[in-house]
Amino acid sequence: MSIQANGLTVRYGAHVAVRGLTLAAHHGEVLAVIGANGSGKSSLLRALAGLVPHSGSVARRPAARIGYMPQETAARAALTVFEVVLLGRLRSLALKVATPDLDAAARALDEVGIPELASRRITTLSGGQRQLAFLAQVLAADPTILLLDEPSSALDIAHQFQVLTLLREATRRRGLTTIAVLHDLNAAARFADRLALLHQGGLLAEGSPAAVLRPETLRQAYGISAAILAGPDGCPVVVPTGVAA
Amino acid sequence: MSEAAAIAAWRTLGARRAAVSAAALAGLAASFAADLATGPALLPIGAVLRTLAGINDDPMLAAIVLQLRLPIGLMAIIVGAALGLSGAVMQTILANPLASSYTLGISAGAGFGAALVIVFGAALPFAQIWAIPTAAFLFAALACALVAAAGRLRGATPELLVLAGIACLFLFQALLSLLQFIASQEALQMIVFWLFGSLLRASMTKVAIVATVLAAVSPLLLRDAWRFTALQLGDDRARGLGVNVDALRLRAFAAVSLLTGAAVAFVGTIGFIGLVAPHIARGLVGEDQRHFLPASALLGALLLSAASVASKLILPGTVFPIGIVTALIGVPFFAWLVVRGGAR
């Protein structure tokens, strides 16, 4: 276990977004959090990152460094890509930027494969490029735990593939623990080692993609009827066939 | 681009931005010299510089330059810098390019404070020359505190703070109108003149007070420069990067209230500098706040110093109120900037 939530509850006023959820993620794995809109995915991630008040506990190693990437929003700042990535080092940045911080930023840009965009204004990038830049920002901090809120939702299919592949590779290579909220069930099945399916703030199912993506669980979580097919490499493919009665 | 090339490119960009600020500084020096040379008597720049250096023994010239014009010229620079810097911080923490101490009612608060003393101040045991700036400063701080308190009530989102600022503007304008309504003829005239904004009330003591506030607050703001830069990416991302966003906003508000309060206390309401200086700075040096904040201060100083020169040249023999000049010259210039920016 490298991060574990125990009986985690998140409330916004009278609304309970996450109720008594217990979930663990491990070293070197990608855990995809899936579920319908409003099922508590983002709140779970924010609570794990320590950004919203919650009850219950979140346990992690004292030396753990969390990299949190919120949902994509339009960036209006007059900053270059390099500056955005450098901000990942915020905790150590001084007025005169130290060499280790510069090196880490340049390395992260390289790692996500967009070093040629370093001097471009962030506002001039496409959605896919911007998401890669923010991924580099999170990686620049040398995190041990990655918490990513819909890292691929706004992207076309090629960029989605690129971002998720990169994420899985970085997780293996750096030995990270990665928890990502994903909307695309087939992408989740393909790129994640394990899935956690949320329903009304609680954990409905957890385990391998094949164990979680079943017609019964999908009907309960999303209100759809679906066929589960076997994909070319054996991972399950979800084909919605209608809205459940 | 290799890793080394990316770093080198960024360093070059930093050097270019520093050069822009250096050019603004040179422009400021030129404008300052021109400010000292212009007035009812036009003086040769060389004589002005010699007087400043203390190698001129014409007592008349020395009196004009050192006693009459130097406080005004310095006040323009210090107040311009304070307004430019406070505008830059406001626009950053509120994620809104229209934010400034003027548009968010802080200057209006100062105006109300000044008017309060002008109307009822005779009863106070202080001389009006100090009571008016003190009240202006305190009410600027009060306006800031009101806006910040509104933010504390319901999570300090930028939208809510901007709304609170605009409400604050209307509140103090209404209170000011009320005072004007009940004021005597003489008091009314004084209020109106105070609201125009004028550098003519400057003295070296007042310059020193505003300069002290500026010197004390600037390093504190610069210490947060990277956190301000992170805030440009939105509250959520800044929090994820480790910024305590609410505390940062509150801290920045306190700094802004000190800067604005000190700036407007002695010279009256001067709008526009706080809005337009950061706007130009953003275009020139981007929003890395280590460059953006100093550049905004420099450009604010340059703009107000140039306006001070212009205020004496429009109608020879007359010094126009500086607040009127900054708006009359600034608005068309600003419109041109915005239109040009939109066309790009």
Side-chain angles (χ1 to χ4, degrees):
Chain A
M1 174 279 292
S2 88
I3 183 164
Q4 172 151 17
N6 273 313
L8 192 72
T9 297
V10 179
R11 286 191 181 84
Y12 302 114
H15 174 68
V16 184
V18 177
R19 52 185 86 225
L21 199 140
T22 296
L23 183 69
H26 308 280
H27 196 68
E29 79 165 351
V30 176
L31 172 66
V33 178
I34 57 176
N37 290 331
S39 59
K41 306 185 296 295
S42 291
S43 297
L44 167 64
L45 220 59
R46 291 161 67 88
L48 289 176
L51 297 176
V52 288
H54 53 264
S55 55
S57 71
V58 175
R60 53 177 189 256
R61 269 195 225 107
R65 283 184 306 277
I66 287 188
Y68 168 74
M69 189 163 98
Q71 273 178 46
E72 167 67 353
T73 44
R76 290 178 299 109
L79 295 172
T80 67
V81 171
F82 191 81
E83 283 163 345
V84 167
V85 177
L86 195 57
L87 280 172
R89 308 282 300 179
L90 189 69
R91 285 182 176 84
S92 60
L93 280 180
L95 270 185
K96 178 159 179 15
V97 180
T99 312
D101 292 327
L102 288 173
D103 289 344
R107 244 191 344 264
L109 260 181
D110 224 25
E111 188 170 352
V112 302
I114 53 167
E116 75 283 358
L117 298 180
S119 298
R120 283 263 299 274
R121 285 265 175 115
I122 187 83
T123 44
T124 66
L125 302 188
S126 72
Q129 292 170 328
R130 202 161 53 227
Q131 202 63 330
L132 288 173
F134 282 122
L135 200 56
Q137 182 187 60
V138 181
L139 289 175
D142 285 325
T144 57
I145 298 170
L146 271 188
L147 303 171
L148 310 162
D149 201 347
E150 300 192 23
S152 61
S153 289
L155 307 182
D156 65 46
I157 198 162
H159 279 103
Q160 191 176 57
F161 191 88
Q162 189 186 356
V163 166
L164 293 176
T165 305
L166 207 135
L167 217 81
R168 196 171 55 182
E169 284 172 358
T171 302
R172 302 273 192 271
R173 187 172 54 245
R174 289 174 172 238
L176 306 175
T177 304
T178 299
I179 304 180
V181 169
L182 296 177
H183 259 309
D184 185 329
L185 298 180
N186 294 325
R190 187 169 186 86
F191 288 99
D193 302 296
R194 282 191 311 132
L195 306 186
L197 175 57
L198 265 52
H199 180 55
Q200 294 175 353
L203 189 63
L204 186 65
E206 182 197 355
S208 72
V212 173
L213 298 176
R214 285 180 299 123
E216 317 84 82
T217 55
L218 294 179
R219 177 177 298 120
Q220 202 179 339
Y222 293 96
I224 55 161
S225 50
I228 312 295
L229 312 179
D233 44 7
C235 76
V237 174
V238 177
V239 181
T241 54
V243 177
Chain B
M1 205 183 292
S2 72
E3 290 178 24
I7 294 173
W10 187 68
R11 286 210 164 110
T12 310
L13 189 64
R16 202 182 310 146
R17 287 168 174 171
V20 168
S21 287
L25 192 61
L28 179 59
S31 172
F32 178 59
D35 200 10
L36 297 187
T38 49
L42 277 179
L43 306 175
I45 295 266
V48 169
L49 294 180
R50 277 196 300 280
T51 307
L52 281 182
I55 47 172
N56 187 336
D57 27 67
D58 179 348
M60 177 76 164
L61 199 66
I64 293 179
V65 171
L66 296 180
Q67 281 167 35
L68 293 178
R69 295 187 186 171
L70 188 61
I72 293 176
L74 286 176
M75 198 62 152
I77 290 177
I78 301 290
V79 166
L83 290 176
L85 181 58
S86 70
V89 172
M90 282 261 197
Q91 294 182 11
T92 295
I93 60 171
L94 297 178
N96 191 321
L98 295 179
S100 79
S101 49
Y102 196 73
T103 46
L104 294 186
I106 297 168
S107 297
F112 172 70
L116 204 58
V117 170
I118 292 171
V119 174
F120 298 112
L124 289 174
F126 313 105
Q128 283 220 334
I129 178 173
W130 293 110
I132 291 176
T134 305
F137 181 86
L138 290 178
F139 275 87
L142 176 68
C144 249
L146 282 179
V147 176
R152 292 297 284 178
L153 283 181
R154 254 195 44 203
T157 64
E159 294 81 6
L160 185 77
L161 289 171
V162 170
L163 272 179
I166 291 172
C168 194
L169 174 68
F170 282 115
L171 171 69
F172 281 112
Q173 273 179 351
L175 288 172
L176 185 61
S177 300
L178 185 67
L179 278 180
Q180 289 175 314
F181 182 69
I182 61 173
S184 67
Q185 274 302 323
E186 302 79 61
L188 184 60
Q189 206 168 10
M190 271 184 78
I191 293 173
V192 169
F193 192 72
W194 194 93
L195 292 177
F196 279 163
S198 168
L199 293 167
L200 298 181
R201 295 185 285 264
S203 72
M204 287 311 270
T205 314
K206 294 174 181 173
V207 168
I209 292 174
V210 186
T212 305
V213 172
L214 184 64
V217 171
S218 304
L220 297 178
L221 287 171
L222 269 184
R223 217 181 45 185
D224 278 325
W226 278 115
R227 282 178 281 274
F228 285 133
T229 308
L231 201 58
Q232 306 295 297
L233 299 175
D235 286 15
D236 242 17
R237 242 181 251 286
R239 284 200 182 94
L241 292 171
V243 179
N244 184 343
V245 171
D246 294 344
L248 180 66
R249 280 222 171 86
L250 221 56
R251 210 153 62 219
F253 251 104
V256 161
S257 80
L258 284 174
L259 282 175
T260 311
V264 301
F266 295 117
V267 300
T269 319
I270 295 178
F272 223 69
I273 300 279
L275 192 67
V276 77
H279 185 82
I280 301 172
R282 189 177 294 117
L284 290 175
V285 304
E287 281 183 301
D288 174 344
Q289 307 271 320
R290 299 172 309 144
H291 293 284
F292 176 61
L293 295 181
S296 297
L298 264 176
L299 286 164
L302 175 58
L303 286 174
L304 198 56
S305 180
S308 170
V309 177
S311 72
K312 292 181 276 189
L313 294 181
I314 296 172
L315 197 64
T318 309
V319 180
F320 271 75
I322 192 87
I324 297 178
V325 177
T326 51
L328 282 185
I329 297 178
V331 171
F333 178 60
F334 191 56
W336 174 73
L337 271 181
V338 170
V339 169
R340 200 191 55 149
R344 224 177 357 212

